[in-house]
């Protein structure tokens, strides 16, 4: 099954909440922010899809929004699918998929740490790479580099 | 009879009293940032009940350099040396994964000879990495000799790399579109010699360590990782294969010239304990060394003449788009996700490091182990910290 057929299945189930984008290098499925958990659950639990592996979960800071990118893979059927969720900048919040793919736990913490996107329902949403008292989220495009850290010039 | 009963009640009473006394409060222990079982800087906070580990909280980030942010400020060629520093024990493999990602993004055809050289280097580096693991795993179980043995053979590989690119740790050898230099004179002979030595030595390793009863007693049935848990946590590479999952990107999602090579994928069988225990993770890596030697021999026989680098301009602007490519590294799947906006610099570059996910499963499976066994368990995952922290 290619991504087009997977997208058709999602379309039949979720209607307007999903939207297939056929870009040549990396076709992806755009999912509305409020349905991501249901879509994820559907992809994981439908036996003939069975996306059991979350290859990568990351975020891109576009001028208009934060885009969370899910690279999913089915080890049983060897299918791949890319999901994208657009999160508004003023309210950067998306539901966690930690209970669907355990790997998401640390990935989401990393995104929270470096982008400041919050994951609703995450059991332990704290910084992972940076110190707890770090200010700001460095991978944002508008990040201001600090001049000092605890009084030490950088 | 009566006397016996009395005796049992006395013992029962005494043991309940002992339990009252012994069960105290749990204790938090800081293991690391510097500790022999960490190949880098990692702090683990252990919640312990006596000798038993109740909970582990890995504190990572000590080596965070912001590679992903740095990448946004550099052009595509300039980022290559930084990939050496993702997994410094598998620098060639990291170079290769990054080069493959950019090549896919810009649709660059790599010359055949360059592909062979890349696979050759990647496999040599895989062996070097596993040899270091062999040494450190020995150290963690209390044996010092394996480290010396492992380094002795690793030295030969580093000599080969030094011949080729002048570096012994961070190679910066593979380039977008090929390699920086051709193989030097005498390389093929020296590499063949190394294969002969390695095949002999691996038998010695098995005698010295793999089937050593003391080593088996320390390793078997420790830190059993079930396959479904491994997949759920995104564990990849030898750690996943040790759990009995036959999954290797070189076979299952072939890239470069791996489809032309004949090699097997070793998986864990639970030979001396349970499938997915620390010994399996160790033994899969030892078997992978043998398979990598096989691949190297085939490459050396088949390597064609020709160009070693496709023409890629210094001012290099891949078309706008995005791509995710993953490759099989010594530690698992290294993935690069690059978003290009058509300029000289990547708009976003995400490194999906295998050790990051491999470490995330450790707290899950280390509940209830002894502290001494936890060291073994963590060591058997062969994590590399610069890769986790990036």
């Amino acid at each position: 099954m290619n991504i087009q057929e997977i997208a058709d299945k999602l379309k039949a189930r979720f209607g307007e909440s999903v939207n297939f984008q056929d870009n040549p290098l990396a076709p992806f499925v755009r999912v509305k922010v409020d349905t991501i958990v249901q879509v994820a659950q559907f992809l994981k639990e439908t036996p003939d899809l069975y996306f059991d592996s979350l290859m990568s979960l990351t975020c891109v800071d576009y001028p208009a929004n934060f885009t969370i990118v899910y690279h999913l893979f089915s080890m049983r059927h060897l299918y791949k699918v890319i999901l994208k969720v657009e999160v508004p900048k003023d309210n950067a919040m998306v539901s966690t998929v930690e209970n669907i793919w355990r790997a998401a736990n640390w990935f989401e913490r990393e995104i929270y740490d470096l982008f400041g996107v919050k994951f609703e329902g995450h059991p332990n949403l704290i910084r992972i790479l940076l110190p707890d008292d770090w200010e700001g989220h460095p991978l944002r495009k508008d990040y201001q580099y600090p001049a000092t850290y605890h009084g030490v010039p950088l | 009879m009566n006397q016996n009963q009395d005796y049992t009640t006395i013992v029962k009473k005494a043991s309940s009293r002992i339990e009252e006394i012994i069960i105290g409060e749990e204790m938090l222990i800081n293991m690391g940032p510097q500790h022999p079982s960490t190949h880098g800087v990692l702090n683990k906070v252990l919640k312990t009940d006596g000798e038993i580990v109740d909970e582990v909280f890995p504190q990572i980030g000590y080596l965070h350099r912001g590679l992903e942010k740095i990448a946004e400020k550099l052009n595509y060629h300039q980022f290559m040396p930084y990939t050496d520093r993702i997994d410094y024990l598998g620098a060639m493999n990291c170079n290769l994964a990054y080069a493959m990602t950019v090549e896919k993004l810009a649709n660059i055809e790599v010359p055949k000879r360059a592909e062979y050289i890349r696979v050759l280097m990647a496999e040599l580096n895989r062996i070097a990495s596993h040899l270091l693991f062999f040494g450190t795993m020995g150290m963690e179980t209390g044996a010092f000799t394996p480290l010396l043995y492992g380094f002795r053979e690793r030295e030969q590989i580093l000599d080969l790399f030094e011949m080729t690119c002048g570096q012994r740790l961070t190679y910066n050898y593979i380039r977008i579109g090929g390699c920086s230099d051709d193989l030097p004179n005498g390389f093929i002979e020296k590499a063949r010699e190394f294969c002969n030595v390695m095949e002999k030595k691996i038998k010695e390793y098995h005698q010295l360590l793999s089937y050593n009863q003391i080593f088996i007693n320390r390793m078997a049935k420790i830190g059993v990782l079930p396959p479904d848990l491994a997949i759920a946590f995104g564990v990849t590479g030898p750690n996943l294969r040790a759990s009995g999952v036959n999954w290797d990107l070189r076979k299952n999602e072939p890239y470069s010239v791996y489809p032309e090579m004949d090699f097997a994928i070793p998986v864990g069988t639970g030979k001396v304990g349970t499938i997915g225990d620390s010994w399996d993770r160790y033994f899969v890596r030892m078997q992978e060394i043998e398979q990598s030697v096989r691949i190297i021999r085939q490459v050396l026989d088949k390597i064609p003449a020709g160009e070693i680098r496709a023409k890629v301009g210094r001012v290099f602007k891949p078309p706008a788009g995005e791509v995710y490519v993953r490759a099989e590294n010594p530690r698992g799947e290294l993935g690069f996700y690059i978003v290009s906006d058509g300029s000289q610099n990547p708009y976003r570059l995400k490194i999906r490091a295998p050790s990051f996910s491999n470490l995330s499963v450790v707290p899950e499976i280390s509940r209830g182990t002894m502290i001494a066994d936890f060291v073994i368990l963590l060591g058997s995952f062969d994590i590399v910290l610069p890769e986790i922290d990036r």
Side-chain angles (χ1 to χ4, degrees), chain A residues 7-26:
Chain A
D8 289 344
K9 274 198 156 199
L10 286 174
K11 195 94 193 159
R13 178 82 168 66
F14 294 100
E16 287 307 303
S17 297
V18 295
N19 192 356
F20 179 61
Q21 301 278 316
D22 193 11
N23 92 36
L25 254 180

Side-chain angles (χ1 to χ4, degrees), chain B residues 266-280:
Chain B
V267 291
T269 53
K271 201 169 174 183
V272 299
T274 322
I275 293 186
D277 62 6
S278 295
W279 193 86
D280 271 350

Side-chain angles (χ1 to χ4, degrees), chain A residues 26 55 58-59 61-63 71 73 80 84 102-103 106 110 115 128-130 138-141 145, chain B residues 60-61 64 68-69 72-73 232-233 247 253 322 324 326 337 347-348 350 352 356 360 364 390:
Chain A
M55 291 191 287
T58 189
C59 178
D61 180 1
Y62 288 111
H71 287 90
F73 185 67
K80 268 184 190 171
K84 283 194 182 181
R102 305 287 297 278
W106 280 27
E110 189 187 323
F115 286 93
I128 186 165
L129 294 175
L130 299 174
L139 278 182
R140 288 189 177 190
K141 293 281 177 189
Y145 287 87
Chain B
I60 62 174
H64 181 62
E68 293 173 13
K69 187 75 174 177
E72 292 173 11
K73 310 273 181 215
F233 271 91
W247 181 261
E253 231 180 72
E322 57 174 70
Y324 179 80
R326 49 183 187 163
Y337 173 65
Y347 185 77
R348 167 92 173 99
K350 149 89 182 165
R352 183 260 190 240
F356 186 78
S360 74
E364 197 66 22
R390 284 156 290 147

